[in-house]
Amino acid sequence: MRSSKIFSVWHGIPLFILLFFLAPILIILSSVFADYSENWSHIYEYVLGDYILNSFILVSGVSLLVMIIGSLTAWLVSNYQFFGKRFFEWGLILPLAIPPYILAYTFTGLFDSYGTMNEIARSLFNLEQNEMLFPNIRNIYGAIIVFSFTLYPYVYLICRTAFLNQSRSMFEVGRTLGLSQASIFLKLALPLVRPALIAGTMIVAMETLSDFGAVDHFAISTFTTGIFRTWYGMYDLTTAMQLASMLLIFITFCLVIERTSRKNANYSTIGSNFKPIQVIRLGSLGSFVCFFVCFIPIFIGFILPILEILNWSLRFNTSFFNEQFFSISLNTVLLSILSAILCTFIAMIINFSIRYKNSSVIKSINPFLNIGYAVPGLILAVGIVQLFVFLDNNILNFFEGYFLTGSLFGLIFAYIIKSYALANSTYEAGYQKISQTIDDSARVLKSTGLNLLFRVHFPILKTSFFTSLLLVTSEVVKELPATLILRPFNFETLAVSTYIYASEERMVEAAAPATAIILIGLIPIFFISQMIRASRLEKS
Amino acid sequence: MKNILEIRNLSHAYDQAGSIIKDFNFSLKKGEIVSILGPSGIGKTTLLRIVAGLEDVMDGEVIISEKVASKKNFLLPPEKRNLGLVVEDRALFPHLNIEKNVMFGISHIQERESLAQEYLSLFKVADLSKKYPHEISAGQQQRVAFARALITNPDILLLDEPFGALDKNLKEELHEETKKIFKNKDLSVLLVTHDEEEAKYFSDRIIEFQEDKIFIR
């Protein structure tokens, strides 16, 4: 006996989570009110313009490319039968297993003046030693290519789920109104998956902005490299945090615009009268074109770097696959799965709360929870360390020594905050496809709260659940900067191990953990793409 | 005959701009079928959602079985109103087969399976019990939706354009069958429709919503 507007546990849980998510970020933002040093004046006068311009060019270029690659490949594998389609359905996710920094390392190995590809070209075409067939990759355009071909699967996965959930009848109506196949894609299918497309691209943009490894390797001045240089070069943590705050404010602004632009869009297409799309069988030419379009992203984002890593591995012996290596691999697997499960459940609870309570308060919380994805890992780590030190000293001081600081909690906490946007976007896209009448009917049939969540929403959103697990697991395995700072003493993950070897120019030894990162990234990709397929077959 | 539903001085609007429903009074007797007739966007579905407890009221009262269910700053949640709801898109749960859909609201009852079969038979869809919603026709889905709503033995059955997506022959067939079932079970039914013929055939009374006016026939 209450008003639907009153405060309930479904309001309380998101608020509680928000408090924890925002605490480290607020610690970082508080640096805005600290004194501005001479270093800040120097940065403002000489390099800040470059940081902003380069970050803008990078994000714009990457966003445009991933939208094209992700949506086009998702459309082709969802709607057409062509040679290799069954492979491409899951094969297009393969580049997710390779973090941008590993692709950057392998691309320089491949395309530098004395890289593998130029060496092959010289021997094939009898070129002089100073002649190069392949252009220099260590520039902003190279970085755009690296990010686009490792990150497009985020757009592909979300768009594919959205395309598969579109109703056949809509396209049939489009055909009768005179639309060609291409027009159906551009005028019907693509506008209808706009929320998914924007969600996926936003994730890619945030990932690009928060990356350090690849842009540093290509010597491009962006916000993140600036933050790192200020911290490690000038030893000025406050100025580094002030730069990070600027980036955070910009990202918050982007998120608000994105949310506002699609606030009123309801793209629900699934009802109980849902008719799955009819796959069109293509002729030889069409089949070849589709094969080519889908193969290129996999070749650049997966096959090429794998070949280069294999090249490194084969040139030397494999003694580095030792006991320590397996222990590091186990650490990484356990940590990533645990973080992925926790993060996915949090995203599920938040999105359910939004749906169930239809509360503007909870809705307005969610964009703030997403912001962790764009926070550079090292900066987030500093915020978490400072938060944990405060909690250990003031609240958990009945423990002997530090309880939270230096423990795995910090690492898991950082992974959850950084990966939440991934989990959330898959749930948001999933929820947009459940008609409100499903909830109304369930509530009238006395299904509420957890009962509604686990009897109705959870089974319908199984695909979102597994997609989220895939995205988060793969993300955590690759996460480098936060792991470097927050890992407990003597605790190594594969990413840390790769970084240490690569930074010491021991690329051959880095090949082992890099290969493992890729292989571990492949396991959830394989299983979850099978589950996505199975759930699709169940429907059709 | 006592009123199973009473609406007193109900006012409701989506925003401050204007009322979609203004000072509306209405009562539904036990066993009576009443249609709310009117064009789209006039507030018919909103009224039904208010009765279901899916929307708050801004002013006035909704009384179900002589108990206040909604008034300003008070809402008895839908699950505590003992209502049935059937909507135009059926809203069957896509992950459950037909039998499980029908049993959804009575999962706590031991004889749920036999009861489900009874209601599936009543609506002539017993042979579809193991199929999934997407494997059956729109008309069959609507029969399942009726069975799912009625199996809980609701005090009031709320119907929101339940025949809207069906062709004429199927609609007529279902009209006849469902009306017979409703009358046999002495159900109180509130039907929202924009189809005047349907309203005339189905109802004991018609409430017609028009711009700024409400007619009772």
Side-chain angles (χ1 to χ4, degrees):
Chain A
M1 321 325 148
R2 57 182 170 74
S3 164
S4 61
K5 300 279 189 290
I6 65 162
F7 192 85
S8 71
V9 69
W10 299 105
H11 293 83
I13 293 171
L15 278 171
F16 183 74
I17 293 168
L18 177 73
L19 183 73
F20 267 86
F21 271 43
L22 282 192
I25 297 167
L26 289 176
I27 288 170
I28 296 159
L29 285 175
S30 67
S31 66
V32 171
F33 304 105
D35 291 336
Y36 287 80
S37 66
E38 280 178 18
N39 289 332
W40 174 262
S41 310
H42 170 82
I43 287 168
Y44 181 79
E45 215 165 313
Y46 298 107
V47 288
L48 190 59
D50 280 349
Y51 293 165
I52 294 172
L53 184 67
N54 287 337
S55 298
F56 177 76
I57 293 172
L58 194 61
V59 168
S60 306
V62 172
S63 298
L64 185 68
L65 260 182
V66 294
M67 275 200 272
I68 295 169
I69 301 168
S71 64
L72 186 61
T73 51
W75 172 253
L76 294 180
V77 297
S78 314
N79 286 271
Y80 298 99
Q81 183 63 50
F82 55 94
F83 177 70
K85 176 204 158 110
R86 285 172 75 95
F87 161 72
F88 288 125
E89 275 183 331
W90 63 270
L92 279 159
I93 316 168
L94 287 171
L96 263 189
I98 300 187
Y101 59 88
I102 290 184
L103 194 65
Y105 297 153
T106 54
F107 265 37
T108 46
L110 282 161
F111 299 109
D112 257 359
S113 34
Y114 292 96
T116 312
M117 296 300 279
N118 277 315
E119 290 289 0
I120 292 171
R122 280 187 198 106
S123 62
L124 278 179
F125 304 112
N126 287 326
L127 302 176
E128 296 293 324
Q129 276 302 304
N130 58 351
E131 284 185 286
M132 283 167 61
L133 190 68
F134 293 94
N136 180 18
I137 193 92
R138 289 185 192 241
N139 52 43
I140 200 159
Y141 307 107
I144 288 174
I145 289 172
V146 162
F147 283 114
S148 300
F149 283 92
T150 49
L151 302 177
Y152 80 83
Y154 290 131
V155 178
Y156 164 78
L157 265 175
I158 293 173
C159 281
R160 182 178 172 270
T161 307
F163 283 137
L164 287 176
N165 285 330
Q166 288 186 331
S167 174
R168 180 206 310 170
S169 21
M170 191 176 54
F171 299 140
E172 287 170 349
V173 169
R175 292 306 297 270
T176 61
L177 292 170
L179 293 182
S180 65
Q181 281 295 330
S183 302
I184 282 178
F185 172 62
L186 292 170
K187 291 183 179 173
L188 273 180
L190 208 53
L192 280 164
V193 299
R194 191 171 63 92
L197 191 61
I198 291 173
T201 309
M202 279 298 295
I203 292 167
V204 172
M206 290 190 277
E207 176 93 356
T208 307
L209 279 171
S210 65
D211 177 85
F212 171 73
V215 282
D216 183 61
H217 195 66
F218 284 171
I220 300 162
S221 295
T222 63
F223 260 105
T224 47
T225 54
I227 292 161
F228 272 72
R229 279 175 203 152
T230 310
W231 190 350
Y232 283 110
M234 299 175 173
Y235 301 101
D236 188 347
L237 178 58
T238 309
T239 306
M241 286 168 75
Q242 284 162 341
L243 268 177
S245 303
M246 275 190 72
L247 185 58
L248 281 178
I249 291 164
F250 172 69
I251 286 160
T252 309
F253 184 65
C254 291
L255 277 172
V256 170
I257 290 177
E258 185 261 342
R259 296 282 142 168
T260 313
S261 70
R262 62 177 172 135
K263 193 171 64 178
N264 298 319
N266 183 6
Y267 292 84
S268 174
T269 55
I270 276 199
S272 45
N273 54 346
F274 168 75
K275 283 186 198 149
I277 44 177
Q278 203 166 21
V279 175
I280 298 166
R281 192 170 285 278
L282 293 170
S284 333
L285 181 65
S287 185
F288 173 76
V289 170
C290 287
F291 177 89
F292 188 72
V293 169
C294 293
F295 180 72
I296 289 293
I298 304 174
F299 181 73
I300 297 175
F302 187 75
I303 298 172
L304 263 184
I306 292 285
L307 288 175
E308 182 64 359
I309 289 172
L310 279 178
N311 174 36
W312 290 340
S313 304
L314 292 173
R315 278 195 207 167
F316 298 88
N317 67 52
T318 52
S319 61
F320 37 73
F321 285 101
N322 52 25
E323 199 180 310
Q324 191 201 357
F325 167 76
F326 288 111
S327 144
I328 290 168
S329 302
L330 186 67
N331 286 346
T332 311
V333 170
L334 292 178
L335 202 58
S336 60
I337 290 176
L338 181 62
S339 306
I341 290 171
L342 288 171
C343 188
T344 300
F345 269 102
I346 289 173
M348 185 174 79
I349 295 287
I350 301 280
N351 279 280
F352 175 74
S353 303
I354 291 170
R355 171 82 168 208
Y356 183 49
K357 283 291 156 190
N358 193 25
S359 150
S360 52
V361 175
I362 315 173
K363 276 182 198 162
S364 60
I365 286 174
N366 210 17
F368 291 101
L369 294 175
N370 278 322
I371 204 167
Y373 197 84
V375 181
L378 273 174
I379 300 297
L380 181 64
V382 171
I384 289 174
V385 167
Q386 297 201 358
L387 172 71
F388 279 12
V389 168
F390 172 82
L391 291 173
D392 276 331
N393 286 336
N394 297 288
I395 296 168
L396 302 167
N397 47 11
F398 46 87
F399 285 103
E400 205 173 299
Y402 286 128
F403 177 69
L404 292 173
T405 312
S407 71
L408 281 175
F409 287 119
L411 219 44
I412 292 169
F413 188 34
Y415 292 153
I416 291 173
I417 293 177
K418 274 198 74 66
S419 311
Y420 176 80
L422 284 173
N424 177 62
S425 65
T426 58
Y427 267 98
E428 274 188 340
Y431 264 115
Q432 279 186 357
K433 288 174 198 71
I434 305 181
S435 166
Q436 183 60 42
T437 55
I438 292 271
D439 290 37
D440 295 346
S441 301
R443 291 195 66 181
V444 169
L445 291 166
K446 301 179 175 54
S447 178
T448 60
L450 285 176
N451 185 292
L452 176 65
L453 174 59
F454 286 107
R455 278 182 80 193
V456 179
H457 289 186
F458 185 74
I460 296 177
L461 293 173
K462 249 192 308 192
T463 306
S464 296
F465 181 82
F466 287 118
T467 306
S468 167
L469 275 190
L470 157 68
L471 295 176
V472 178
T473 303
S474 156
E475 176 69 15
V476 169
V477 168
K478 293 181 285 185
E479 169 56 37
L480 174 64
T483 317
L484 269 174
I485 290 288
L486 290 167
R487 65 196 169 119
F489 183 68
N490 262 348
F491 183 90
E492 270 190 33
T493 67
L494 291 165
V496 170
S497 191
T498 310
Y499 170 80
I500 292 170
Y501 287 132
S503 63
E504 293 168 0
E505 294 295 326
R506 294 156 68 189
M507 287 314 298
V508 177
E509 281 143 288
T515 308
I517 288 174
I518 295 166
L519 287 175
I520 290 170
L522 286 175
I523 296 167
I525 285 171
F526 176 75
F527 277 108
I528 297 182
S529 66
Q530 290 300 306
M531 285 171 187
I532 291 170
R533 264 182 67 79
S535 89
R536 177 68 193 137
L537 289 172
E538 224 170 75
K539 267 188 200 164
S540 57
Chain B
M1 208 183 294
K2 68 173 184 175
N3 289 333
I4 195 90
L5 169 70
E6 271 188 78
I7 296 175
R8 294 179 189 158
N9 308 108
L10 179 76
S11 293
H12 188 82
Y14 279 119
D15 52 45
Q16 301 297 322
S19 295
I20 192 164
I21 298 167
K22 204 171 178 182
D23 212 15
F24 178 62
N25 288 284
F26 167 75
S27 64
L28 178 71
K29 291 188 168 47
K30 174 79 183 142
E32 192 181 22
I33 301 177
V34 173
S35 291
I36 309 285
L37 179 68
S40 301
I42 200 94
K44 309 185 301 287
T45 297
T46 305
L47 177 68
L48 207 73
R49 289 176 61 80
I50 287 172
V51 174
L54 296 163
E55 298 262 357
D56 286 314
V57 301
M58 297 181 95
D59 217 350
E61 284 183 341
V62 175
I63 296 159
I64 296 173
S65 303
E66 298 177 333
K67 284 179 195 155
V68 176
S70 295
K71 63 180 182 182
K72 196 174 180 181
N73 297 325
F74 176 84
L75 182 88
L76 185 71
E79 63 274 14
K80 294 190 175 159
R81 295 185 178 214
N82 196 29
L83 305 171
L85 175 68
V86 179
V87 292
E88 185 176 3
D89 73 357
R90 280 83 69 187
L92 298 181
F93 305 123
H95 62 294
L96 300 177
N97 67 25
I98 298 311
E99 185 185 41
K100 284 179 180 165
N101 257 285
V102 173
M103 289 193 300
F104 189 90
I106 54 160
S107 53
H108 55 288
I109 295 174
Q110 212 169 7
E111 318 78 60
R112 56 186 176 273
E113 281 177 20
S114 56
L115 209 53
Q117 281 309 313
E118 183 188 319
Y119 275 82
L120 285 170
S121 303
L122 185 66
F123 283 94
K124 299 179 181 170
V125 280
D127 54 330
L128 304 174
S129 61
K130 298 298 172 202
K131 290 196 180 285
Y132 282 84
H134 65 270
E135 295 174 322
I136 63 176
S137 71
Q140 289 166 332
Q141 286 180 13
Q142 202 56 280
R143 289 168 186 273
V144 175
F146 275 116
R148 186 178 69 176
L150 259 62
I151 201 169
T152 59
N153 196 20
D155 289 337
I156 306 166
L157 181 61
L158 305 174
L159 308 178
D160 188 2
E161 305 271 12
F163 310 104
L166 307 179
D167 66 50
K168 194 169 175 282
N169 290 340
L170 194 57
K171 201 187 270 192
E172 282 170 7
E173 186 186 319
L174 260 176
H175 278 165
E176 203 178 314
E177 285 177 33
T178 47
K179 187 175 178 181
K180 203 184 288 175
I181 292 168
F182 296 162
K183 285 296 174 190
N184 283 345
K185 290 193 170 287
D186 199 26
L187 263 172
S188 310
V189 179
L190 192 58
L191 166 72
V192 157
T193 180
H194 64 272
D195 181 343
E196 191 166 354
E197 270 182 45
E198 181 174 284
K200 277 181 187 164
Y201 174 79
F202 230 92
S203 336
D204 302 318
R205 264 192 305 147
I206 297 173
I207 313 284
E208 191 172 350
F209 275 35
Q210 287 187 1
E211 274 312 314
D212 299 328
K213 280 179 193 158
I214 294 167
F215 299 99
I216 301 178
R217 296 190 203 170

